Amino acid sequence: MSEIKLFSSIKIRGVTIPNRVVLSPLCMYSANHGVASDWQFAHLSTFARGKTGLIFAEATAVEARGRITPGCLGIWTDEQADALKPITSFIERMGCVPGFQLAHAGRKAGTKTPWNGGLPLDEDDAKAGNPAWEIIGPSDIPVAEGWVIPKAMDKKDIGEVISAFANAARRAVKAGFKVIEIHSAHGYLLHSFLSPLANKRNDEYGGDIYGRMKFLLQVVDAVRDVIPENMPLFCRISAVDGLENGWEIDDSVILSKKLEEHGVDVVDCSAGGISGAPLFRVNNKGKPLKTNMDRGPGFQVPYAEKVKSEAGIKTMAVGVIVDPHQAEQILQENKADLIAVGRELMYNPFWALHAAQALKADPEFSMWPEQYKWGVNRRGKLADFKGLRDEVLDKEAVASHLSDIYNQK
Ligand SMILES: Cc1cc2nc3c(=O)[nH]c(=O)nc-3n(C[C@H](O)[C@H](O)[C@H](O)COP(=O)(O)O)c2cc1C
């Protein structure tokens, strides 16, 4: 067993995650009518070959109105759930854990893909067969100037969405996912109910923090009810809105205590997104989003640390965690229990395997898939020798070393 925390396993309820590296959910906008395509298989299976401990599929819409774009993954039909089975089974075959993020985009639904600007669907999209649809939110306040005004949800809408989350969770379990995450971050539907900037309701789902938390807690209850008792439930939050008069870190501590009481095991601490498009986009005027957040390495780790220490619940840290030593330090300092990595894993899908080398947690390449292990092990020895060769420049020794490596039986 490795002494290195990043490569130690963690058991949550009945599920053992083999290491602490997590693929953060990453929208791919590449589904067909909500059904996973070969892209999703190729994308997620790569992280499994790279031995990422817990692999979250992208934000998946629990109902059609909850898609960010027409190409978003959905799970409101059996066909959509069935298409995910080869993915979960491959991830498990690699010894990793498949995770699933249940999502509803709320007032940020119905947009173009980020690489087409990320703005609301328009007439050109309608002509191309992708008409806009009615979007819903806590109040009739748009995400930003020029965005579609959402319908303020009535009690019937709220009931329908709660049922959609429960049905989606049931299907996700059938599709083979072993961890479920509820997406309540980045300005999407559940987060928009939490934030006083988006929720101006004066019924039981608005007002003070307890009213604003009610919808999310009802969704948590509905999901917890239909998933197995031994299945971990995560909730992703925006720990702060990063805007004046918005949701603050102390609100997140209050919420996290409630989430724990309602059966959530891990709070995944992200931030921002309540106003304008998601974190990584620009606003509708092409300007960077207005928040007071500095986005340097590990910028959201303090949120995971505070929620963990003050709410007494496990946390997942995310946001510009790129270096294995940085990740290990976060765990050693007990600031979080899991490390989610997004863009760095897209850049290098074998990040976990390489991090294990960098931290000297896997000297014999035992973590690698057996199809790669025997060859990569020899490459490792060769790489060590190359370092030496630069100093000694002994061509004969190099040749003999290479032949030893490649002729090994
Ligand atoms: C292409 C892309 C797609 C994303 N899709 C999702 C998503 O589906 N659900 C979600 O909660 N966050 C999503 N995010 C946010 C990431 O999960 C992650 O929180 C963010 O990128 C910060 O982590 P990083 O610095 O390691 O990339 C997305 C980010 C990117 C870059």
Side-chain angles (χ1 to χ4, degrees):
M1 259 319 332
S2 165
E3 303 273 307
I4 303 291
K5 223 168 163 189
L6 192 60
F7 293 99
S8 63
S9 63
I10 180 169
K11 187 170 182 199
I12 306 173
R13 292 193 188 235
V15 174
T16 300
I17 301 168
N19 61 58
R20 311 298 180 98
V21 185
V22 178
L23 174 72
S24 206
L26 295 170
C27 281
M28 291 288 114
Y29 316 101
S30 301
N32 302 315
H33 303 286
V35 179
S37 67
D38 52 3
W39 177 262
Q40 267 85 14
F41 183 86
H43 165 67
L44 294 168
S45 61
T46 306
F47 304 107
R49 283 188 293 125
K51 299 295 170 123
T52 311
L54 170 58
I55 299 172
F56 273 109
E58 65 202 76
T60 303
V62 299
E63 60 166 20
R65 336 178 247 196
R67 289 166 300 159
I68 303 171
T69 72
C72 282
L73 204 58
I75 190 153
W76 63 88
T77 70
D78 290 341
E79 185 200 357
Q80 291 164 342
D82 287 346
L84 297 164
K85 285 181 182 165
I87 298 174
T88 56
S89 109
F90 185 84
I91 292 174
E92 287 219 277
R93 188 137 60 84
M94 289 293 105
C96 308
V97 176
F100 196 69
Q101 192 186 46
L102 299 170
H104 194 301
R107 61 187 194 151
K108 292 174 99 167
T111 69
K112 298 166 188 281
T113 57
W115 56 83
N116 283 312
L119 294 175
L121 294 169
D122 57 26
E123 280 175 15
D124 290 342
D125 299 292
K127 278 186 209 140
N130 289 315
W133 57 87
E134 181 188 60
I135 63 167
I136 53 175
S139 306
D140 55 1
I141 304 171
V143 161
E145 203 189 311
W147 282 56
V148 179
I149 296 175
K151 177 197 173 203
M153 289 167 74
D154 57 25
K155 297 259 170 72
K156 185 167 161 283
D157 295 315
I158 289 179
E160 279 172 13
V161 171
I162 293 171
S163 301
F165 268 95
N167 291 335
R170 213 181 273 120
R171 286 197 173 97
V173 172
K174 272 201 190 155
F177 289 97
K178 295 294 184 284
V179 172
I180 301 289
E181 174 166 279
I182 295 171
H183 194 348
S184 182
H186 304 166
Y188 297 116
L189 186 65
L190 297 171
H191 175 199
S192 68
F193 268 74
L194 295 174
S195 173
L197 298 174
N199 181 345
K200 303 285 183 195
R201 300 174 73 95
N202 47 27
D203 66 357
E204 66 199 277
Y205 292 98
D208 66 10
I209 182 173
Y210 296 96
R212 284 181 276 118
M213 289 192 302
K214 187 168 179 166
F215 182 34
L216 170 58
L217 294 176
Q218 288 181 339
V219 167
V220 168
D221 289 344
V223 169
R224 188 75 262 176
D225 260 11
V226 299
I227 65 173
E229 179 61 34
N230 64 1
M231 182 171 283
L233 180 60
F234 288 33
C235 184
R236 173 164 270 199
I237 62 168
S238 276
V240 300
D241 282 342
L243 289 170
E244 216 174 307
N245 303 320
W247 180 265
E248 299 287 352
I249 184 64
D250 290 334
D251 298 323
S252 290
V253 172
I254 295 171
L255 171 66
S256 299
K257 286 182 185 159
K258 284 278 170 208
L259 289 172
E260 212 241 337
E261 282 169 30
H262 286 251
V264 168
D265 303 295
V266 176
V267 178
D268 173 3
C269 295
S270 189
I274 196 63
S275 163
L279 286 177
F280 51 93
R281 298 192 206 163
V282 293
N283 73 9
N284 61 325
K285 290 181 181 141
K287 301 228 171 74
L289 288 172
K290 193 178 56 152
T291 77
N292 54 19
M293 282 185 291
D294 164 20
R295 303 234 167 85
F299 73 106
Q300 293 168 154
V301 175
Y303 309 136
E305 180 183 11
K306 186 153 167 122
V307 167
K308 184 172 165 61
S309 69
E310 294 189 18
I313 187 166
K314 289 189 177 61
T315 58
M316 181 151 85
V318 64
V320 200
I321 301 173
V322 294
D323 178 75
H325 298 276
Q326 175 199 13
E328 177 63 12
Q329 195 177 350
I330 293 165
L331 296 173
Q332 290 293 348
E333 291 175 353
N334 215 20
K335 292 178 173 169
D337 301 275
L338 290 156
I339 302 292
V341 181
R343 290 161 294 183
E344 201 61 18
L345 265 164
M346 283 195 286
Y347 179 71
N348 172 12
F350 280 13
W351 189 88
L353 291 171
H354 296 167
Q357 291 303 310
L359 296 173
K360 302 198 186 326
D362 185 29
E364 294 302 319
F365 299 88
S366 329
M367 278 176 65
W368 287 67
E370 64 180 359
Q371 291 89 339
Y372 293 171
K373 189 187 313 182
W374 65 274
V376 173
N377 191 359
R378 290 182 195 184
R379 178 207 169 272
K381 288 178 184 150
L382 172 62
D384 288 346
F385 189 76
K386 268 187 176 165
L388 192 64
R389 185 186 58 171
D390 290 342
E391 283 167 35
V392 296
L393 290 173
D394 181 343
K395 285 190 188 136
E396 245 175 65
V398 171
S400 130
H401 185 76
L402 289 183
S403 97
D404 282 355
I405 289 172
Y406 288 111
N407 292 325
Q408 253 172 40
K409 292 282 178 277

